[in-house]
Amino acid sequence: MGIMAGLNVLKSSHPNSYKQLCNDEPYLSCIELPGHEIVAFLDTLLPLCQQALYSKNASVSHAGETALLYLAQVDPVRVAPPMIDFGLRALDISSVNLAHQAPSALSALTRLFQPALRQCPTMVLSRLPEMLRLSLAGIDSNDQNKTMRTLIFYRNLVMWLPVGGALNIALDDKETKGTIQIGEGLMDQRNSIVGSTSYKNALASLPESSILAQTNAAMLDTDIDFGTVMEEAMLAMSDWSLAFLDRVYELLRATGEQEKLGKGHSGYAATHGSMDIAITKNVSRIMKETLTYFFSSMDTETYRSALRSVSKFMEEETLPFAVKDASLLCQAVCMTRFDLKDSSADASPGLDALVPILTEDLEHRSTKSAIYRLRCLAGAVRYAGSSVLKHRDSIVAAITYALSQPDDKVLFKTGCKLLRHTLSSQCEEYPIAQSSHPMKSGTNFVPGACAELKHDGVHWCVPSGKSIDFTVDLVGRFCLKRLRSLGDTTGDNNIQRWRQSLRVLRYTLRGCLGILLDDSADTILSQEGELCPKEKATASLIKSSSPESQKILGDLRRRFCFNLMDITCVIAKGTVDCESKSDESQSDKKEGGLSISTDAKVCNEVIEIAELLLTRRGAQYQSGSGKTIWRGQKEILVDFFLTSECDYIQNILLRADDVSQRGLNSLYKDGEESGKNISRCLLVNRIHIANQTLTASASSQIPRRLKKLRDGAGTNATIPASLFTLEMNMETLQSHLSSEESPYKDENCTSLRACEAVIDGLCNLSCHPNINVRGNALSITDFLMTRFGWVVKHRTSRLLSAISLRDDELKGVDGIPSTQELVTQVNAQGRRTRLAEVVKGVLKLVSLPKILKHMMWNEVDRFELVKTVCGTQRLLSLLPPEDVAKVVYYVNSIFLLFRSRNFSLLRVSQADQMAHESCLEFLIDMLQDGSKSTTAPDEKSDEVADDSDAGEMHWRDRLVASWFLLQFVDEKDLVTTKPQLMSKVWTTCFTLIKEEVGQPIQRVSLGLLGRLVSLALVDMSQPESIGAGQPDVSLLRDFFTSEQACKALGNALVYDHREDTSVGGGHGAQWSSGVQEIIRDATANLSTRTLFPFQRVSVKTSIYKLQHSQLLCSALLAIGYENAKVAVGYLLAQATELVASPPSEDQRNQQCTAAEIFGGVCRAMLLYSTTPEDREVIWDTMLLPFLEDAVQKTPTYIIGAYFDACRWGIHHFPPKHFFPLLKFTVMKVQTTLWQRDGVEETEQGSGVATAMADRFALQSKWLYFIQSVLIELDGEDDVGATSKLPWYTAGLLHDNVLDSEGSNDEEIELGQCWSHVSEALIPSLLNAIGHPYDKCRDHIASLLFRMCYCHRKFINTLSYGKGSRSNDPGITIMNQLVGIQDSTSYSFKEKNRALGTARKFVAYCVHWGDAKHEYSQFIVPLLPLAFKALQTTEGEVSVEDRGIEAELVKGFRYAIVSACLLFVWVLTNLLFHYPDVLCSPTIFFTITFTPL
């Protein structure tokens, strides 16, 4: 319907675009939906929405509510009135049986209110008094859900309607249009759809019971005076406002006491879950928004009445448990207001009325009463603007009283909040609440219309010079004075005083950060081109204040930063050598018990202050969460009909490149002509959020500007030395705090350098003895790195040296204590507890994303990180046993983060290449030196050696080192790196394979070998490598020409298999953290990835590891043909031993490895072979003897590995390459397969039965194995792909000769193969269809299908045998299978077995075949046989024979069902493609029953 309306708009306003659109898309001419169909659509769905609306399931109810909104937007005039009446019935207090429906009814009314108000305002306003009266009961302290939905309804109500006043009313203002318009008359075209004659006639024909028919003429009467209805509605709104406030008071009175929780639980009740906390927060937020819009939409008289009610409530009652919601009430009523006739004047009558009440006689009130009133006062002043100045003395006195009560923590904290809110109200800009009023000054009010910015700007409360002066006075009076008092050495300067002073500083910063600049306002404004909007606006604002205030503010942020730096320096000095649980030192006791270094509350205050000073540029910074809430509120009001209409028009105009859309920014669309449907409140909120976003972005823009101003452009500038020092003591700190002027007067001592020093202090706090302090400091440091990212560059080496215990001369540098010095420090129990605390903090710092990311971007830092991660053995040996596991976990976390972000780094300079080579040498030396001093993973892996064994390599360190070596070696190393270094890499890899038997590091070494071999083959194949030099693979040749090395490699491949979960408890390997990831990466590097098998038939077993075969094949190709022949002999000899391995837990892996060796050797030797003679020798002397022996000795459940190995060995080769294998397998099947001789089997003894079972098992293996050869003959396009040019070559060369090259030879080879198979194999198989062994019959049926399937594909693909069916094996096979039932040559058991083979053949045709071929050629001819097999034998039959027959019947039933399902699929496709032909009943009957 939106498209229909959009087309009508285009037709009227853009006829040329409409004409072109109809030519391009002719179907649009008939897209119009008739009116009677729309009526039928609405009439059908509305009752369903009614039922879903009151469902007990919340999801169903929400879906019904949303669907009801969509339907109401189609025709609000006829849908909204009956649905509103339907909802009001549920709100009536007399409807006892409908009381549970009230929440859903309120939600429905919320959704329907705006569409109905826009299209039929008279109807809505006439029902408004009843809505207000019935909905008041929804505010119920006993039902939080209903209360929340009622508040949402009221919030939506006051968004669109004023409370008690009406000015400049217009039912439809044609002059108000959005700033940017997509089309004209969008609403008119939308309404015309439901105003057509067809639509009205359909409405008239509806029965009286229809919901649409309930909208009578009285509801749609347009003769009613709108002004009269509006006046009555506003009178009802005025009366309702006081009743609503009374309900709010009752809600506050019913608020109970909340249980106070510990830290980290947001102070909510301990018995409440996260859902309860979220609901409570949501209710408070909704109440705040509702009250804000409620008071802002009032006219003057109604506001005065409401203010008198609130004043009386605040004067007469004290509700300590409802203090938060009461403060929200005071905040809403005291918001700045302006006169609708003079918007330049603003005042706060609410503040004028409440301040005397809330500040009266605080000293003589109880503590709870004082806290309640101060908290309400804090809410009242938050958005009161310049009106606060009139009450500055009362507010200052209230703050002074609260902060003068240090023994009462709650009262002191309330005073801090009052100070923060007062500061924010005087130095922050925010929209005046009345800007959200739906009746703006100077414009006409259209009820329910979308808000527009045109000719109606937002009025802001902007601080004045007097407000800034008052802010400076508050900061000096309550914050700076307290900080100076901390420097007074004569007074009582205890730890509690430090805590409270720092808390006052934190709350002060939260209130006035918006006006704290890094330099004077004149200096800031002189840098015009570099300023961000927030910084420029703040500097201009400060210029309006007095000269004294400008002087103080110009240096205030810098002073706070240096004071904070001094405090962090003192904390660092006190904790750099202390123990976590030691008593206070004697010097601290002499200072009166002062120990700010170890006090967790002081440290946490310092951390939070650092976050404020370094990352925030205003009190309103949480624009992200506000934007999310705003989007949710906007979605509730979206008119999807109008939106779809607008989007379609804009899309068409953009496609047509219409002039009206050029340069149009869709982000600034507003008004109904642009498809929008938001209220004035949401529009103002969105603008406010945009302003908050500018404030939030300033926190990162300003530090970058200061950095660029100090160091210039570029990233290689030298950062000045840090001002952080451990020489700071308490006396110096107190002298700095007590000084009237900042002691750091040097021009180089800028606020930026102080911030960098504070970051050093936070790094020190990240190593604090208190675990909570460490955690808070780490989180804040991580956040600061997003604003001061350049400080990471010079910290990486310092952090790594601390982990490596190589920081003797670096004590306190970057805030990190010297770990080497802490080695000698032990506590009373003789443990190095302080060392463990510092190391854990440093490890967590290294794992921060910014720091780790920097380490990965150059080879030098990577090298340092590798040395650190791989060299933790000495560190672990020094730590207390209880901290070892955690430190190991932290180190492993760093490694896993590096692994997840690892990438190949391009080395563009000689320095990078040298660092890379040094890293490789370090890793090689590490692996070689520790090869004989490691501890196996399963032997004392959790124990740590003594100090005397600190030099020995731990198995984990060597494993991590091998992973780094695996990842860092690349293709350039094999040709550009020093030959001696690469020789070490090869030698190390081979040594680890030989010596680390069964260990994880051996598996990583296999991955390294695979990577080296793959890179060597890549370098050999590159044309540019011919002149630059080939990679040296001499060591690889020596390795593979050594019998012992090949044997070690085979054993390594055995251990590289996945663990058998069928033994040993049925679970996988229990690796330590990180080991599984290392092994996974090693497996991925064994070989390059391949798409094998590139056919329909997948691999047969999961234990076969294709990467092993690929590794051996690649290695054999890299060492040359002559060396490969020697290596093949050793490898096959090792494989022969593995095949004959005795029973053990590794037997399965050993026998599977033998198959993998065969696959790799087979493919490599076939790639080497160039003549038929070479291939004959390879097959006859190397491969076939091994294969014959292996198949005989391998258990049946392992034979699938040889199936996959054989397929991989001959994959994509022409038939001539493996024709000897085909002949050999056919011969083995002929010589071993059981043949029917007409003699009935008799019962045999146990020995004979065992021998027969062994013989049948061997037959089963050869029958299974030969299928792998036939599958590789089953290639339409991939047969001989290894000897063909790529598929795109012909198109590039335009050479027709390539198309026919080799095709005749392939046809001849295929003919020979199939002639041999048809002549030698098919007769034997057909004679054995009654095989006694069920597994053999299964393989025989599979082989018969495979031969029919493959032969048919060759006939259709190649020219061999085309047009002739004399050589078709399918004919012979079908004749044999069809004649089973009537044959008299079979005994009873043989016939049932043969029928079972036929049944399996049908099953293979159904599941593996192609429907258009197999169904008609094989399945349909065998269906009569299947139905005859369902008939049981009459007469007396033995129990055994009857059981065999029953089993056969059951199998055929499944086969018939499968065939019928396949027929249904075929018939469905035929009906889809040929509906006219198959719709005839006669033809349909013929097609359906002919197969049967």
Side-chain angles (χ1 to χ4, degrees), residues 822-826 830-836 878-880 947:
L822 292 176
V823 170
T824 60
Q825 179 180 340
V826 295
R831 302 182 184 275
R832 301 180 179 89
T833 307
R834 182 59 185 150
L835 174 64
L878 297 173
L879 297 176
D947 292 352

Side-chain angles (χ1 to χ4, degrees), residues 314 318-321 323-324 326-327 358 362 365-379 401-402 405 408-415 417-418:
M314 298 303 302
T318 299
L319 306 173
F321 298 150
V323 61
K324 184 174 182 180
S327 67
L358 297 176
L362 287 175
R365 293 185 178 272
S366 65
T367 302
K368 289 186 178 182
S369 178
I371 293 172
Y372 173 78
R373 294 177 179 274
L374 288 174
R375 184 73 180 273
C376 292
L377 180 62
Y401 165 71
Q405 307 294 326
D408 194 316
K409 297 180 181 179
V410 180
L411 182 59
F412 187 87
K413 183 179 179 180
T414 306
K417 288 185 178 180
L418 177 57

